[in-house]
């Protein structure tokens, strides 16, 4: 008995020291520390009761009532201690899982109630005292049904904890997993030791050890630092999300206005106005393109920050995409004496499968730079390919070559915000982001980019990427040399809550000889859809709240394609709109060719 009492007192001393130090050190009480605090308090009470029980058991005949009360109370602390440990384990993985929080709370409540039931039932179940009893093996001095129930409950919780730990092992911090493994080993080892040597009193010491261990894990500097970092990470993610939302809104606003400028300028250039005015309009268009590129680059910053860019692969006609791109970028030549030479390999398969938007962006960035940083001479665009028809892969090679200012040190070319040779290029607009973004896109496509440059003489950028060849395309291959604007006598419904946008979109669509009805609200749109049969609906997606549910459903029911024209061009926007039920997505500012391509896909499949 002396050995038992000594061990119990030493354990109690340890626990008291941990308890006090924990209260002093834990200034800010986290959920984890509250759990630990509860656990240590219950263990201390249990230990005090165990010490009293060890005394009274020696005088069981003289103090039978007191002995019974103390032992029943002590017995009750066993399920409570086990419950605290289970609670702690549920909390640990729940805290990591986060999403599972609700489930975790329900599980805890079930355990609380079950523990209470066991304690209540145990008050009435028979219990007697015997040497070398069943309970003795588990650190209890008594025997009987009450002991069996309490200990069985503890064993069940032990197994539940064990299974939880294995199931959610990936969610724990490494130190915490070690602590849990130690806990299971100690508890299992203690019980086995008791079964082999019944007199040995080690349960209280084990629980004390577990508490010490958990204490050092909670109070561990590294663990605390990891936790602090996690908190900071969560906060940073939140801010990042807000930043993305802000950028998305900004982009929407800027793109909407730009769209009006670009479309109207283009229309006027094509009309019969004087050449002087046309020149001025071209300046206006040029400025808009620059502004658009700027907006695009700022938005793309988001993409650089994320690890990899997600690709949106579709079937596309590379030659057609190059044509529309060249139309847009040659505007950069301005009045400089530059000869633009384009050479597109005829063996490029008609339909490829890949992210056409990004392929275009790569070429656009390289071509724009070539025009920007070349004052005279030539800019060459060569697009070639090596086709492997057995594996259905086309190895595309895009070469952009210029006779411009050249690059002194190509090693810094792909650094964020780095502009080289700043003195020489101070008059050229740029953010130093284009090539970083280009490289990121190429990496995501598992391609390569190589640069050769001779300072003062010119530069050569070669991009190589593989694209899948499509044998039986689901898109139509238009005659590239001429655009046939006649899509038959179609009826189109145009919906946009902004009257200026509506006017611009109506003007663009009227080029295709459609019969157009234009409205500014979903209600009006629905009314018209019920009264008339439409072949196509074109809408600004900012009407999405009312529009999504009603108009989209209605259009789907009658198989009417819905095209969204939106200024929301942030990463993932296209996928978002397509998956929410729109048939096609066009981002602002758009060209007539963008609209034409979509119309072709709809009406000339
Ligand atoms: P930006 O052109 O917006 O400054 P980029 O990332 O496209 O940013 O290019 C980074 C830098 O690389 C440019 O500022 C310029 O100094 C240099 N550069 C890129 N392309 C060329 C080129 N074709 N000729 C000369 N210098 C170039």
């Amino acid at each position: 008995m002396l050995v038992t009492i000594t061990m119990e007192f030493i354990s109690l001393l340890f626990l008291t020291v941990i308890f006090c130090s924990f209260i002093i050190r834990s200034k800010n009480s986290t959920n984890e520390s509250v759990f630990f605090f509860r656990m240590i308090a219950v263990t201390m009470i249990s230990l005090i009761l165990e010490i009293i029980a060890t005394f009274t058991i020696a005088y069981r005949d003289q103090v039978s009532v007191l002995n019974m009360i103390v032992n029943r109370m002590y017995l009750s602390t066993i399920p409570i201690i086990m419950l605290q440990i289970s609670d702690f384990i549920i909390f640990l993985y729940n805290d990591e899982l986060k999403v599972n929080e609700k489930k975790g709370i329900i599980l805890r409540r079930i355990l609380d109630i079950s523990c209470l039931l066991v304690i209540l039932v145990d008050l009435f179940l028979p219990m007697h005292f015997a040497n070398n009893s069943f309970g003795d093996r588990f650190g209890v001095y008594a025997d009987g049904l009450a002991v069996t129930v309490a200990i069985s409950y503890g064993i069940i919780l032990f197994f539940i904890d064990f299974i939880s730990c294995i199931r959610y092992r990936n969610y724990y911090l490494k130190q915490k997993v070690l602590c849990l493994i130690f806990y299971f080993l100690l508890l299992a080892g203690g019980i086995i030791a008791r079964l082999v040597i019944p007199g040995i009193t080690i349960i209280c010491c084990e629980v004390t050890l577990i508490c010490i261990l958990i204490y050092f894990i909670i109070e561990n500097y590294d663990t605390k630092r990891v936790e602090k970092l996690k908190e900071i990470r969560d906060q940073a993610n939140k801010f990042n999300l807000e930043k993305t939302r802000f950028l998305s809104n900004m982009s929407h606003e800027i793109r909407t206005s730009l769209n009006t400028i670009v479309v109207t300028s283009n229309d006027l250039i094509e009309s019969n106005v004087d050449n002087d005015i046309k020149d001025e309009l071209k300046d206006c268009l040029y400025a808009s393109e620059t502004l658009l590129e700027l907006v695009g680059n700022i938005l793309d910053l988001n993409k650089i920050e994320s690890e990899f860019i997600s690709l949106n692969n579709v079937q596309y006609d590379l030659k057609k995409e190059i044509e529309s791109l060249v139309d847009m970028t040659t505007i950069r030549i301005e009045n400089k004496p530059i000869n633009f030479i384009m050479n597109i390999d005829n063996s490029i398969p008609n339909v490829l499968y890949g992210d056409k938007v990004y392929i275009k962006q790569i070429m656009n960035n390289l071509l724009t730079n070539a025009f920007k940083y070349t004052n005279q001479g030539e800019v060459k665009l060569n697009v070639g390919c090596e086709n492997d028809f057995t594996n259905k892969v086309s190895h595309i090679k895009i070469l952009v070559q210029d006779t411009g200012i050249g690059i002194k040190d190509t090693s810094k070319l792909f650094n964020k915000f780095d502009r080289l040779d700043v003195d020489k290029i101070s008059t050229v607009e740029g953010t130093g982001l284009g090539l970083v973004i280009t490289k990121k896109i190429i990496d995501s496509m598992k391609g390569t980019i190589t640069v050769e440059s001779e300072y003062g003489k010119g530069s050569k950028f070669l991009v190589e990427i593989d694209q899948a060849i499509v044998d039986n395309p689901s898109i139509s291959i238009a005659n590239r040399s001429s655009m046939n604007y006649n899509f038959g006598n179609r009826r189109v419904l145009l919906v946009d809550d902004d009257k200026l946008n509506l006017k611009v979109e109506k003007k663009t669509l009227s080029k295709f000889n459609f019969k157009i009805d234009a409205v500014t609200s979903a209600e009006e749109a629905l009314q018209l859809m019920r009264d008339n049969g439409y072949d196509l609906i074109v809408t600004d997606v900012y009407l999405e709240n009312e529009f999504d549910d009603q108009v989209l459903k209605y259009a789907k029911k009658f198989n009417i394609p819905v095209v969204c024209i939106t200024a929301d061009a942030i990463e993932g926007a296209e996928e978002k709109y397509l998956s929410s039920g729109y048939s096609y997505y066009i981002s602002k500012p758009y060209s007539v060719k963008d609209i034409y391509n979509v119309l072709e896909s709809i009406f000339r499949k």
Side-chain angles (χ1 to χ4, degrees):
M1 188 176 98
L2 196 65
V3 178
T4 311
I5 295 272
T6 314
M7 282 172 81
E8 285 166 352
F9 266 112
I10 292 172
S11 302
L12 188 62
L13 194 74
F14 263 122
L15 282 182
T16 316
V17 171
I18 294 173
F19 189 72
C20 295
S21 125
F22 190 69
I23 289 178
I24 295 164
R25 290 189 57 186
S26 281
K27 286 175 195 76
N28 9 329
S29 61
T30 59
N31 279 343
E32 199 174 19
S33 59
V34 171
F35 272 111
F36 182 69
F37 185 79
R38 263 179 17 208
M39 189 168 142
I40 211 162
V42 175
T43 312
M44 280 172 77
I45 294 170
S46 169
L47 210 56
I48 292 168
L49 287 168
E50 193 182 334
I51 292 171
I52 300 172
T54 316
F55 268 119
T56 56
I57 202 78
Y59 309 99
R60 68 185 80 153
D61 298 331
Q62 287 98 316
V63 284
S64 61
V65 178
L66 178 67
N67 198 27
M68 183 61 84
I69 293 171
V70 169
N71 269 286
R72 279 208 191 263
M73 277 167 72
Y74 172 50
L75 194 66
S76 304
T77 60
I78 292 177
I80 297 175
I81 289 180
M82 294 303 285
L83 182 76
Q84 294 305 315
I85 295 174
S86 296
D87 250 9
F88 188 62
I89 288 171
I90 297 171
F91 163 74
L92 282 188
Y93 69 70
N94 223 33
D95 192 43
E96 297 302 320
L97 280 171
K98 293 275 191 298
V99 280
N100 214 15
E101 224 154 275
K102 215 171 161 190
K103 252 191 190 168
I105 290 170
I106 296 172
L107 191 63
R108 268 192 213 154
R109 289 294 151 265
I110 294 174
L111 290 181
D112 285 350
I113 294 168
S114 62
C115 179
L116 199 72
L117 277 177
V118 168
I119 293 169
L120 281 176
V121 167
D122 259 4
L123 285 178
F124 304 101
L125 288 177
M127 184 172 159
H128 55 264
F129 305 97
N131 277 335
N132 216 354
S133 62
F134 165 76
D136 207 25
R137 281 156 180 72
F138 295 92
V140 187
Y141 297 108
D143 217 343
L145 210 53
V147 178
T148 313
V149 169
I151 289 172
S152 309
Y153 179 72
I155 292 173
I156 292 171
L157 283 194
F158 177 85
F159 280 110
I160 292 179
D161 294 347
F162 189 65
I163 292 165
S164 296
C165 278
I166 291 180
R167 169 120 166 62
Y168 297 109
R169 63 191 175 283
N170 295 335
Y171 294 99
Y172 295 115
L173 276 180
K174 226 184 221 154
Q175 297 98 312
K176 291 178 182 174
V177 173
L178 279 179
C179 153
L180 293 173
I181 292 173
F182 198 61
Y183 152 69
F184 288 121
L185 287 180
L186 268 178
L187 220 57
I191 291 167
I192 292 168
R194 274 222 161 212
L195 289 174
V196 179
I197 319 164
I200 197 165
T201 315
I202 52 170
I203 298 287
C204 61
C205 305
E206 288 168 55
V207 178
T208 309
L209 265 174
I210 292 166
C211 288
I212 294 173
L213 196 74
I214 296 178
Y215 171 74
F216 282 114
I217 278 161
I218 293 177
E219 286 296 307
N220 180 292
Y221 179 64
D222 283 348
T223 317
K224 286 206 153 179
R225 208 153 59 161
V226 169
E227 243 126 58
K228 190 84 208 151
L229 285 175
K230 265 183 2 198
E231 213 177 278
I232 296 169
R233 180 199 62 193
D234 288 349
Q235 218 162 32
N237 283 344
K238 207 178 117 213
F239 288 141
N240 202 24
L241 215 77
E242 275 165 21
K243 185 193 77 186
T244 309
R245 206 171 300 138
F246 169 75
L247 281 177
S248 164
N249 288 342
M250 285 295 289
S251 142
H252 185 273
E253 298 309 312
I254 299 171
R255 276 171 188 272
T256 307
S257 313
L258 270 178
N259 188 54
T260 311
I261 300 171
V262 171
V263 174
T264 316
S265 309
N266 264 325
D267 278 352
L268 286 172
I269 290 171
E270 281 170 21
S271 67
N272 292 330
V273 291
D274 287 352
N275 279 349
D276 288 355
I277 299 177
K278 271 190 190 173
D279 283 346
E280 275 169 31
L281 282 169
K282 276 184 187 160
D283 288 345
C284 174
L285 207 58
Y286 173 78
S288 314
E289 296 291 347
T290 314
L291 196 56
L292 182 65
E293 194 185 306
L294 205 76
V295 175
N297 276 348
I298 293 169
L299 283 180
D300 278 336
L301 251 182
N302 268 10
K303 296 175 196 167
I304 307 172
E305 281 160 10
S306 62
E307 223 177 65
F308 254 83
I309 297 174
S310 56
L311 302 176
N312 179 26
N313 294 334
V314 291
Q315 294 187 9
Y316 71 101
D317 180 350
L318 181 60
K319 288 175 249 184
K320 200 158 91 180
E321 298 301 333
I322 297 172
E323 264 179 33
S324 78
L325 172 88
V326 166
D327 280 357
M328 293 267 282
T329 42
T330 41
I331 204 167
R332 292 276 182 175
I333 298 178
E334 302 169 73
N335 294 324
K336 294 192 274 193
I338 296 175
N339 193 14
F340 175 59
I341 304 164
M342 182 167 80
N343 198 351
I344 312 291
D345 190 343
N346 248 337
S347 62
I348 293 175
N350 280 339
V351 183
L352 294 173
Y353 183 73
D355 193 316
K356 69 169 180 186
V357 177
Y358 282 144
I359 295 268
K360 254 169 101 169
Q361 195 173 342
I362 294 169
M363 286 194 276
N364 182 40
N365 286 352
L366 296 181
L367 266 184
T368 309
N369 278 351
F371 291 133
K372 274 190 338 190
Y373 301 111
T374 304
N375 295 321
Q376 58 181 32
E378 10 172 271
V379 170
K380 274 191 208 160
L381 169 69
N382 271 319
V383 187
C385 72
E386 282 163 21
N387 294 325
D388 172 359
F389 289 105
T390 332
N391 294 313
K392 297 204 172 84
V393 175
S394 181
H395 185 70
I396 307 286
K397 289 181 179 177
I398 303 162
L399 178 73
V400 178
Q401 196 172 357
D402 64 58
T403 54
I405 60 170
I407 301 158
K408 238 189 225 164
D409 179 8
T410 49
S411 65
K412 284 189 188 151
L413 212 51
F414 301 105
N415 289 355
K416 213 183 328 184
F417 301 113
D418 262 359
R419 302 198 73 206
L420 316 173
D421 220 356
V422 190
D423 304 339
K424 246 185 176 178
I425 64 164
S426 57
T427 52
V428 186
E429 307 96 344
T431 51
L433 286 173
L435 286 179
V436 189
I437 294 165
T438 306
K439 172 98 171 61
K440 189 94 185 177
I441 297 173
I442 296 168
D443 287 346
S444 303
M445 291 179 166
K446 299 196 171 66
T448 57
I449 178 165
T450 44
V451 191
E452 276 174 40
S453 186
E454 210 177 318
Y455 190 53
K457 293 217 167 138
S459 317
K460 224 181 190 180
F461 287 81
L462 175 68
V463 175
E464 297 183 56
I465 10 183
D466 285 345
Q467 294 285 278
I469 301 172
V470 180
D471 286 338
N472 302 308
S474 60
I475 61 163
S476 67
I477 313 298
N479 177 1
R480 269 179 286 278
S481 52
S482 67
M483 285 205 287
N484 178 2
Y485 278 40
N486 193 358
F487 286 96
N489 219 1
R490 311 269 182 183
R491 204 156 178 187
V492 177
L493 176 62
L494 193 57
V495 198
D496 200 318
D497 56 350
D498 184 307
K499 285 208 170 108
L500 186 59
N501 284 344
L502 204 64
K503 193 174 145 198
V504 174
E505 282 149 12
K506 194 171 177 183
K507 215 165 163 191
T508 311
L509 281 170
S510 56
K511 289 183 197 302
F512 301 97
N513 301 322
F514 291 137
K515 183 172 180 332
I516 303 166
D517 290 323
V519 290
T520 51
S521 73
E523 286 84 354
E524 289 171 273
L526 267 173
Q527 191 56 48
L528 283 181
M529 283 167 85
R530 286 191 194 108
D531 296 345
N532 311 298
Y534 286 101
D535 299 298
L536 175 68
I537 293 162
V538 179
T539 169
D540 178 296
V541 88
Y542 254 57
L543 288 160
E544 67 186 316
N545 291 343
E546 317 158 66
F547 202 71
D548 256 359
D549 283 355
Q550 303 163 41
V551 181
L552 271 182
K553 267 187 202 156
Y554 195 90
K556 198 171 176 191
K557 193 167 156 196
F558 293 97
N559 252 337
I560 311 168
V562 185
V563 176
C564 75
I565 297 185
T566 173
D568 182 4
I570 203 151
E571 193 192 358
E574 180 165 4
E575 297 93 88
K576 187 178 86 187
Y577 294 124
L578 293 184
S579 66
S580 64
Y582 291 91
S583 328
Y584 292 88
Y585 162 95
I586 297 173
S587 69
K588 284 180 190 172
Y590 51 81
S591 65
V592 178
K593 261 191 186 163
D594 293 330
I595 305 264
Y596 178 83
N597 288 343
V598 167
L599 291 176
E600 232 184 12
S601 307
I602 297 173
F603 298 124
R604 295 199 186 125
K605 264 197 264 201

